[in-house]
Amino acid sequence: MELNLQGRVALVTGSGSGIGRDTVFKLAEEGCKIVVSDINAGSAHETAEDLRKAGHEAIAVACDVTSEDEVAHLVAQAQQQLGGIDILVNNAGIVKDGYLTKMTEQSWDSVVDIILKGAFLCSRAVLPQMMEKKWGRVINISSRSLFGNPGQTNYSAGKAGLVGFTRALAQEQGRFGVTVNAVAPGFIMTPGMRNLPHFPKLQEAATAKVPVGFLGEPRDISNAVAFLASDVARYISGTTLFVTGGRYSG
Ligand code: NAI
């Protein structure tokens, strides 16, 4: 299948590591110019450098997605250096797990803000360019946890909220040639996850719950993102694509 993403400019938030890092590589391999962005400036620059070494066009801009000023700076840099953004992937996300009765306000606010306020600020900043070009893609990285995981009321609420955000924004943007979709990953083995001391146990427990019998890799998610970013998916908007190996709630 020809995705025809040649020359598009893609911005992926939180792309200094994990799924975001693989997503920028996948989109670059499909011909996109890349804006790597992360709150961690070092990892953003390293990822952009690795992309350039692999022969791709990429810039890095450090940005905390919860800061309106930093998001404005990010989008201005992308405009100046690469000529505007065609594809936005709202990928930045964190967990701060704990049962609700013991959850601090800070744990609630930081998790929900990065997921929801981040998607709001980044989308609001890039959409005018997309609307003008009459072409754009917004892809929000939600999670299977939107069905509700114990110990993750903050994260589950944020990721479920992101699906509502996706559906509402898709309806606002369709007439401008902009599609808005979400990808909901299941358990994905990122390098960070593999380095956890209890990873073998975690892997065994998680695998038992996945119908296909194995855990996902970042490339399973970045393939879904590239598909939704392409013209092949032009009639898909407002949907959530579950990439979970067949696992849903439970
Ligand atoms: P990760 O921790 O490897 O990557 C997240 C990146 O976001 C990091 O580089 C981090 O520095 C950055 N980040 C954190 N706060 C930020 C902020 N305020 N502004 C900008 N960047 C910020 O995590 P991973 O696993 O790659 O997750 C990526 C996305 O996929 C997240 O939204 C996560 O919730 C989601 N997801 C991951 C799953 C998994 O199994 N790995 C499952 C379901 C969803």
Side-chain angles (χ1 to χ4, degrees):
M1 195 189 311
E2 184 49 66
L3 295 183
N4 196 24
L5 285 167
Q6 206 68 34
R8 300 281 189 204
V9 177
L11 162 63
V12 182
T13 66
S15 49
S17 71
I19 291 170
R21 181 180 153 96
D22 191 68
T23 300
V24 289
F25 271 87
K26 172 66 186 171
L27 292 172
E29 286 156 22
E30 293 295 338
C32 292
K33 299 175 200 172
I34 301 295
V35 184
V36 179
S37 185
D38 203 288
I39 195 169
N40 180 333
S43 70
H45 284 282
E46 198 180 308
T47 300
E49 185 57 34
D50 290 345
L51 281 164
R52 289 192 291 267
K53 276 187 200 147
H56 305 299
E57 195 170 342
I59 62 165
V61 185
C63 172
D64 174 352
V65 293
T66 65
S67 158
E68 188 175 20
D69 289 348
E70 292 187 26
V71 169
H73 172 74
L74 163 65
V75 173
Q77 284 299 311
Q79 173 87 50
Q80 245 173 43
Q81 298 187 50
L82 296 177
I85 295 155
D86 303 299
I87 299 160
L88 166 66
V89 184
N90 286 311
N91 166 77
I94 58 164
V95 288
K96 282 198 181 163
D97 295 354
Y99 286 108
L100 184 108
T101 48
K102 300 216 166 79
M103 189 176 285
T104 63
E105 191 176 355
Q106 201 276 337
S107 294
W108 176 271
D109 284 347
S110 57
V111 170
V112 173
D113 271 7
I114 291 173
I115 297 170
L116 288 178
K117 192 176 177 189
F120 159 64
L121 289 176
C122 293
S123 303
R124 194 183 60 173
V126 302
L127 278 167
Q129 304 170 10
M130 295 179 179
M131 291 159 81
E132 203 178 319
K133 286 189 201 163
K134 294 263 177 239
W135 196 94
R137 297 285 185 263
V138 178
I139 298 159
N140 300 314
I141 306 301
S142 178
S143 168
R144 191 205 60 81
S145 306
L146 66 88
F147 291 117
N149 274 351
Q152 290 196 318
T153 50
N154 50 0
Y155 186 75
S156 298
K159 293 300 191 181
L162 198 53
V163 167
F165 173 88
T166 300
R167 288 186 184 152
L169 189 59
Q171 292 183 55
E172 292 182 13
Q173 286 296 317
R175 68 200 164 99
F176 299 108
V178 178
T179 67
V180 185
N181 290 291
V183 173
F187 195 112
I188 303 299
M189 286 189 291
T190 56
M193 200 104 65
R194 277 205 170 88
N195 290 336
L196 293 172
H198 61 292
F199 177 69
K201 268 195 170 165
L202 188 68
Q203 183 180 25
E204 198 184 315
T207 306
K209 294 179 176 170
V210 179
V212 299
F214 59 88
L215 300 183
E217 300 281 346
R219 194 41 63 108
D220 292 308
I221 305 307
S222 60
N223 281 336
V225 170
F227 165 67
L228 289 171
S230 74
D231 279 326
V232 174
R234 66 179 192 169
Y235 206 54
I236 301 174
S237 194
T239 201
T240 298
L241 180 53
F242 285 86
V243 186
T244 61
R247 184 180 174 205
Y248 291 88
S249 55

